[in-house]
Amino acid sequence: AQSVTQLDSHVSVSEGTPVLLRCNYSSSYSPSLFWYVQHPNKGLQLLLKYTSAATLVKGINGFEAEFKKSETSFHLTKPSAHMSDAAEYFCVVSVSGGATNKLIFGTGTLLAVQP
Amino acid sequence: GAGVSQSPSNKVTEKGKDVELRCDPISGHTALYWYRQSLGQGLEFLIYFQGNSAPDKSGLPSDRFSAERTGGSVSTLTIQRTQQEDSAVYLCASSLGRSSYEQYFGPGTRLTVT
């Protein structure tokens, strides 16, 4: 079965410092992976997606993620955190085949950005 | 263009009552999904529609939950005889099709069962 594991439930960084949110995946074949962000009392917004093209994926707001098959990882990074990045981030794997087509979410990482 | 819309944004109901939650997907999106977000269970899949058919209902937690989609567009999620454990945010998403197409989410309906 496909799944994702977010290694940190909370991450706190200072404004202007790098962000690293860690995600490991489990999949029997090449997965489609996503990062979504959810700001307080807002809906889920797609940050970026990986679908077996380039292993380094660039997303919105300066975020990027690197697919590493050898490490089964898909970590999210940003060189310099901004106050507006404070939100909850979800690593997601797509399960598609036969009758099913759905997203499996990780447990989320709450990012706090300190001034 | 317009995104996914959901109504109502908030719903408070008494235990045992039935509720209907509505989702309007992005125009032209053939696939529609319902998810639930709760403190204890995180974000979990409920049901997937392709057109008006629901080939995957595996996430519906009990037979009190049902959903339909008409005209390949609007979908309604119905919860009968609501229980306190049904309290959650119900999210709807749509996509152009299946497979690797990204899903776009609505703002959700916050359901509180008292």
Side-chain angles (χ1 to χ4, degrees):
Chain A
Q2 298 200 78
S3 65
V4 286
T5 302
Q6 292 184 246
L7 301 174
D8 307 292
S9 58
H10 292 82
V11 169
S12 182
V13 300
S14 297
E15 191 174 21
T17 64
V19 175
L20 170 63
L21 305 183
R22 299 181 296 163
C23 173
N24 288 349
Y25 70 89
S26 173
S27 176
S28 53
Y29 51 87
S30 184
S32 292
L33 294 164
F34 306 80
W35 277 96
Y36 279 83
V37 61
Q38 187 174 38
H39 287 91
N41 300 312
K42 299 284 179 132
L44 285 159
Q45 181 183 19
L46 178 67
L47 270 181
L48 50 80
K49 68 172 183 177
Y50 166 78
T51 53
S52 75
T55 56
L56 183 62
V57 182
K58 294 189 183 299
I60 61 171
N61 300 334
F63 284 94
E64 62 182 37
E66 186 171 7
F67 175 78
K68 290 188 176 179
K69 186 175 180 180
S70 60
E71 299 177 8
T72 62
S73 69
F74 190 58
H75 301 335
L76 182 70
T77 60
K78 183 174 181 178
S80 176
H82 191 273
M83 296 295 290
S84 61
D85 294 329
E88 188 157 25
Y89 292 78
F90 294 93
C91 182
V92 181
V93 63
S94 172
V95 178
S96 183
T100 196
N101 185 34
K102 61 188 176 185
L103 298 180
I104 304 295
F105 285 79
T107 50
T109 298
L110 193 60
L111 175 66
V113 182
Q114 309 299 330
Chain B
V4 178
S5 60
Q6 294 185 244
S7 60
S9 55
N10 280 284
K11 177 72 177 179
V12 180
T13 190
E14 292 180 352
K15 177 182 171 181
K17 300 282 190 183
D18 298 352
V19 295
E20 286 189 351
L21 312 180
R22 177 187 167 106
C23 172
D24 280 275
I26 294 172
S27 178
H29 281 194
T30 63
L32 184 146
Y33 316 79
W34 284 97
Y35 294 85
R36 180 168 73 172
Q37 185 172 25
S38 58
L39 280 176
Q41 302 298 321
L43 265 156
E44 52 183 349
F45 165 82
L46 297 179
I47 187 169
Y48 153 57
F49 286 93
Q50 183 60 46
N52 293 333
S53 303
D56 188 355
K57 308 178 184 179
S58 63
L60 294 177
S62 75
D63 58 8
R64 296 185 296 104
F65 287 72
S66 62
E68 65 174 12
R69 188 180 185 195
T70 55
S73 182
V74 172
S75 176
T76 302
L77 177 69
T78 301
I79 309 173
Q80 296 179 309
R81 305 180 303 281
T82 51
Q83 304 293 314
Q84 287 191 327
E85 62 262 28
D86 300 335
S87 295
V89 176
Y90 289 82
L91 295 166
C92 178
S94 69
S95 68
L96 270 175
R98 57 177 298 153
S99 192
S100 63
Y101 289 111
E102 51 261 44
Q103 297 183 21
Y104 295 89
F105 283 80
T109 293
R110 181 175 297 277
L111 175 67
T112 304
V113 182
T114 61

